[in-house]
Amino acid sequence: MFKKILIANRGEIACRVMKSASEMGIRTVAVFSDADKRSLHVRRADEAVHIGPSQASESYLSIERILEAIRETGADAVHPGYGFLSENKDFAEALESEGVAFVGPPVAAIEAMGDKITSKKLAKDAGVPTVPGHLGLIESGDEAVQVANGIGFPVMIKASAGGGGKGMRIAWSENEVREGFQSSRSEAAGSFGDDRIFMEKFIDRPRHIEIQVLADKHGNCIFLNERECSIQRRNQKIIEEAPSPFLDEETRASMGAQAVALAKAADYHSVGTVEFIVDAERNFYFIEMNTRLQVEHPVTELITGVDIVAEMIGIAAGEKLKLEQKDVVAGGWAFESRIYAEDPYRNFLPSIGRLSRYRPPPEDVGGAASIRNDTGVIEGDEISIHYDPMIAKLCTWGEDREEAMDSMRKSLDSFEIEGIACNISFLSAVFDNPRFISGHITTSFIADEFPDGFCGVELPDQTLQRLVAAVAVFQVISETRRTQISGQLSNNARPVGREWNVSFDDKAFNVGVANSNKAYSASFDDGTRVIVETSWQPGQSLASISADDAELTLKVDPISGGFRIRHRGTDIRASVRAPRHAELGALMAKKMPSDMSKQLLCPMPGLLVSLQVSVGDEVESGQALCVIEAMKMENILKAERTARIKSISANPGDILTIDKVILEFE
Ligand code: ADP
Ligand code: ADP
Ligand code: MG
């Protein structure tokens, strides 16, 4: 077995690999860039080597820097994690010539599978069904149209070197094919330095289901069942589960057999994932093979009990698989929620800043309902524009799907992240969505269910009333505390008001609160009452309450004149006033929002890559104005209507803050 493993990665996956390595008695080496000096993965490792500046190209993506770190520490193996150099054959080759083990597949398999055209050909030859399409390179818009007509619309235009959902376009018409071909090609050239494009049939509303394979160097290959990864935005996964609610035993066995056949045809060893899309009739089609540890591997670990990272390390060290196919037993149900530093209310744009609060729910692995949180951050960390915005993977396991979902809802409710925007409220909304709950999901679930983007969830009236009651109770508790702080004895303290007006958006409620000890009775104008029990105290940011016997976890922040309450997919700013103040408030003139329609504001913090217009230009609706890049994502900002550019107040190369004015229209 290896003595020392260097992990050529950062964040949660570096921490995850170190965990298994340490348990196997192997020493661990972290590498880090300037931005990561104090990161969790550096603290978790036995040794750490600085490898360069924050830009990934000069640090985590630099083969030379990593090789130097290996020589410096004498590591005898390297685990690449995912992303970065994990599917880079030059890296695997460089390690080979250095005499260091690569904890991953053989170079030839990386090469064959890293390319979508080559891998589809390989799959076809191995008898694995692939998405119908054209397996040649497409050189021009005209050729693209011709090929699309041959395949039949709609089509998917793809970059052969593609990954991470980039370089991919759907086209429903000849015009869209021409446009999509050009934009796919330039995105591919920019992202992968490789502009080869091919095309396949676009399968409308499929599921994404993938098979985890494990293969050793002795010809043994097994599969650890499937993961359902249909919940995606921008063709990237955000919620995964195992098993898939859609597969029957027969389809599972057949997909597994195909995945194993493909791995064997590629002389594969290590862990890998064969991705399929599956149509409504359970026809499945190969789309690609990822020759690395997958982000969502924990859900498979939770249902099979196999430590996939430990297996991966063992295989690289030449060990035989400990399991045979018949030994693979899957039990229960597991979910993974990817927690991203992104703003669900702003079209999921990345968010940066300091994690002023980071309190995940306590882990509880191995219990009746397990909670696992794979993370790479700690409170106080800075989330920068340099890397992927994923900060944690919250996983839950239960005896069945219902139990695992319920545990996820509770865990999301008690997961505290402040200082940056994050997608927790959106994830909660998905776990409360009836279609998601029914398991009838496809890759267009988010587009179908949130057609206008995410704008928070309307809570059922009953839950809403409970939250309003809770707000009134929090007010009474806070007021009581204030009277105590004034130093007076409680028996002659000034009386705390019992009648409160709670309002948010355009709703207002009068609530009367009576209490004995920790039980409060909140009564409403219509005569209804909610009994609230809580031991919440001012200063606590999480409140567990029981409202009419329902157990709820709320995030509570005092704001000027009230409380901000977050629960599931809602985020409300409730103002609390004495009834007399509320009456007067209703008579005040409303402040009009300022007219921002003449300005183009930067929607996310990032780098202004290029400006497509100059002062005086006449632009049309849909025309590109500029390109902003942050966290591996390029965003083209477009004109929303015909207008003339009056002034420009940013230059290419500038780092822009959120809401910075980029240009003004006349
Ligand atoms: P998966 O199917 O596992 O989500 P992807 O191809 O989307 O696979 O990417 C794998 C993971 O690696 C994703 O979380 C992605 O954000 C991350 N990733 C991809 N490219 C990079 C990169 N250049 N730097 C850092 N992380 C990356
Ligand atoms: P990447 O390398 O970026 O992960 P994939 O080829 O795995 O690219 O595709 C990513 C996602 O795009 C899939 O999970 C699926 O949702 C969607 N997709 C890919 N190919 C097709 C297709 N032919 N028809 C419909 N959806 C597709
Ligand atoms: Mg993929």
Side-chain angles (χ1 to χ4, degrees):
M1 187 43 71
F2 306 120
K3 298 209 158 43
K4 201 189 260 191
I5 289 189
L6 181 142
I7 295 102
N9 214 302
R10 62 181 301 283
E12 67 85 17
I13 199 63
C15 297
R16 164 70 192 93
V17 172
M18 286 174 198
K19 181 167 180 290
S20 288
S22 305
E23 283 168 10
M24 297 169 82
I26 304 171
R27 282 181 66 79
T28 57
V29 181
V31 292
F32 63 96
S33 69
D34 285 349
D36 279 337
K37 281 194 178 95
R38 276 171 288 276
S39 291
L40 189 62
H41 77 282
V42 173
R43 300 173 192 222
R44 286 273 165 84
D46 296 317
E47 288 171 64
V49 184
H50 177 244
I51 50 166
S54 305
Q55 298 94 296
S57 57
E58 315 266 318
S59 49
Y60 299 105
L61 283 168
S62 163
I63 296 179
E64 208 32 60
R65 296 269 157 76
I66 307 252
L67 288 178
E68 282 164 20
I70 294 169
R71 290 177 199 129
E72 195 181 316
T73 55
D76 53 355
V78 172
H79 194 297
Y82 54 70
F84 296 129
L85 296 171
S86 61
E87 294 175 278
N88 184 310
K89 75 161 178 54
D90 296 339
F91 182 53
E93 251 163 15
L95 294 178
E96 206 167 279
S97 25
E98 194 80 13
V100 175
F102 176 61
V103 184
V107 173
I110 300 178
E111 194 167 13
M113 294 301 175
D115 189 277
K116 291 195 205 276
I117 297 182
T118 323
S119 66
K120 269 186 85 172
K121 284 186 181 150
L122 212 128
K124 222 173 162 180
D125 294 345
V128 179
T130 58
V131 182
H134 176 76
L135 281 182
L137 289 181
I138 299 170
E139 306 285 357
S140 70
D142 286 340
E143 192 186 348
V145 168
Q146 203 186 341
V147 171
N149 281 318
I151 296 172
F153 286 94
V155 294
M156 188 101 171
I157 303 162
K158 281 189 170 182
S160 195
K166 278 198 170 185
M168 220 182 264
R169 296 285 184 282
I170 302 164
W172 296 79
S173 66
E174 292 194 359
N175 267 344
E176 285 180 8
V177 167
R178 272 180 217 282
E179 264 178 46
F181 171 76
Q182 293 306 342
S183 57
S184 261
R185 190 177 202 175
S186 53
E187 192 168 304
S191 306
F192 316 112
D194 178 339
D195 68 354
R196 290 170 308 131
I197 298 296
F198 72 106
M199 206 185 291
E200 62 191 23
K201 181 90 189 151
F202 173 70
I203 311 284
D204 198 17
R205 293 179 159 68
R207 286 171 180 256
H208 173 120
I209 301 177
E210 58 187 32
I211 301 285
Q212 174 73 58
V213 295
L214 276 184
D216 66 17
K217 296 179 178 172
H218 308 275
N220 305 304
C221 181
I222 63 171
F223 68 99
L224 298 181
N225 292 15
E226 80 283 0
R227 292 183 286 258
E228 161 100 46
C229 314
S230 297
I231 307 296
Q232 306 184 346
R233 49 126 188 63
R234 289 192 216 99
N235 297 314
Q236 275 202 295
K237 306 156 184 169
I238 53 169
I239 294 175
E240 299 94 342
E241 63 185 293
S244 161
F246 187 59
L247 286 199
D248 48 43
E249 206 43 63
E250 193 188 336
T251 319
R252 172 174 300 126
S254 152
M255 289 176 76
Q258 299 285 4
V260 167
L262 178 62
K264 288 195 164 153
D267 280 327
Y268 200 82
H269 62 72
S270 190
V271 309
T273 298
V274 182
E275 297 190 328
F276 295 96
I277 47 183
V278 184
D279 71 16
E281 279 78 49
R282 293 195 176 77
N283 298 309
F284 57 88
Y285 308 93
F286 167 81
I287 48 172
E288 66 161 346
M289 178 166 187
N290 290 325
T291 56
R292 55 167 159 86
L293 182 63
Q294 197 94 335
V295 175
E296 57 275 19
H297 74 278
V299 291
T300 301
E301 296 188 322
L302 285 170
I303 63 160
T304 60
V306 176
D307 179 335
I308 293 176
V309 175
E311 291 295 330
M312 191 175 180
I313 295 172
I315 292 167
E319 289 184 354
K320 282 195 175 158
L321 286 185
K322 290 187 258 318
L323 291 175
E324 286 181 42
Q325 192 64 53
K326 63 175 171 45
D327 305 325
V328 176
V329 272
W333 212 285
F335 282 97
E336 170 179 280
S337 290
R338 299 193 190 189
I339 316 270
Y340 278 102
E342 64 182 20
D343 192 344
Y345 295 92
R346 284 176 174 243
N347 197 21
F348 306 104
L349 289 172
S351 163
I352 58 169
R354 192 166 296 283
L355 267 180
S356 56
R357 181 176 275 270
Y358 177 77
R359 308 272 164 93
E363 289 194 310
D364 166 23
V365 179
S370 304
I371 298 168
R372 164 173 166 181
N373 185 50
D374 284 22
T375 193
V377 298
I378 43 179
E379 197 165 285
D381 272 1
E382 186 80 27
I383 305 297
S384 73
I385 60 167
H386 301 293
Y387 313 109
D388 192 86
M390 190 177 77
I391 48 186
K393 302 186 313 204
L394 178 65
C395 301
T396 57
W397 179 92
E399 293 287 347
D400 53 30
R401 193 166 185 265
E402 196 46 57
E403 208 177 284
M405 273 194 294
D406 199 48
S407 167
M408 181 61 80
R409 289 183 195 113
K410 292 187 176 126
S411 304
L412 287 168
D413 271 342
S414 55
F415 202 135
E416 294 184 82
I417 293 183
E418 305 292 343
I420 53 159
C422 80
N423 64 339
I424 288 182
S425 56
F426 178 72
L427 294 165
S428 297
V430 174
F431 278 95
D432 276 341
N433 176 292
R435 194 177 137 204
F436 179 81
I437 294 170
S438 76
H440 293 291
I441 50 180
T442 71
T443 56
S444 57
F445 172 85
I446 292 178
D448 290 346
E449 297 294 312
F450 303 91
D452 306 316
F454 180 63
C455 13
V457 163
E458 284 275 318
L459 290 178
D461 285 348
Q462 191 186 39
T463 314
L464 196 68
Q465 193 185 29
R466 288 171 176 166
L467 295 196
V468 170
V471 167
V473 168
F474 297 151
Q475 177 75 4
V476 169
I477 295 174
S478 305
E479 286 290 305
T480 309
R481 166 71 71 88
R482 249 168 248 146
T483 60
Q484 289 163 350
I485 286 173
S486 67
Q488 301 175 13
L489 289 170
S490 50
N491 55 3
N492 59 9
R494 75 181 151 90
V496 169
R498 294 286 154 180
E499 296 291 329
W500 295 100
N501 177 278
V502 177
S503 67
F504 54 90
D505 298 337
D506 52 0
K507 304 185 184 77
F509 305 84
N510 288 316
V511 193
V513 181
N515 76 300
S516 63
N517 231 339
K518 283 186 173 134
Y520 299 80
S521 158
S523 39
F524 288 74
D525 283 349
D526 62 2
T528 52
R529 276 196 326 164
V530 179
I531 304 295
V532 176
E533 283 179 55
T534 182
S535 51
W536 179 81
Q537 285 298 310
Q540 290 177 346
S541 49
L542 269 192
S544 298
I545 67 164
S546 114
D548 289 343
D549 296 333
E551 304 292 329
L552 307 177
T553 301
L554 315 181
K555 289 174 190 128
V556 185
D557 294 296
I559 53 174
S560 163
F563 297 90
R564 177 180 180 198
I565 302 288
R566 279 168 290 175
H567 174 68
R568 298 290 159 87
T570 20
D571 183 345
I572 53 184
R573 290 168 180 275
S575 72
V576 191
R577 293 180 288 192
R580 178 69 188 140
H581 290 164
E583 274 166 34
L584 295 173
L587 302 174
M588 299 234 313
K590 292 257 183 321
K591 192 175 150 204
M592 295 300 288
S594 56
D595 181 12
M596 314 268 268
S597 62
K598 294 210 159 137
Q599 297 175 329
L600 177 72
L601 303 183
C602 186
M604 60 180 183
L607 171 76
L608 180 62
V609 179
S610 58
L611 265 167
Q612 273 66 32
V613 292
S614 325
V615 173
D617 282 2
E618 185 80 49
V619 293
E620 281 173 23
S621 170
Q623 187 176 334
L625 300 171
C626 65
V627 177
I628 309 283
E629 189 200 84
M631 295 164 144
K632 304 199 288 102
M633 242 182 60
E634 255 184 26
N635 270 274
I636 303 174
L637 304 189
K638 295 178 177 162
E640 285 179 359
R641 59 190 165 81
T642 309
R644 189 187 297 275
I645 310 290
K646 183 174 161 200
S647 64
I648 293 181
S649 38
N651 297 307
D654 287 357
I655 301 271
L656 306 183
T657 52
I658 198 159
D659 287 342
K660 154 102 176 87
V661 178
I662 301 172
L663 53 80
E664 283 188 70
F665 304 103
E666 271 176 12

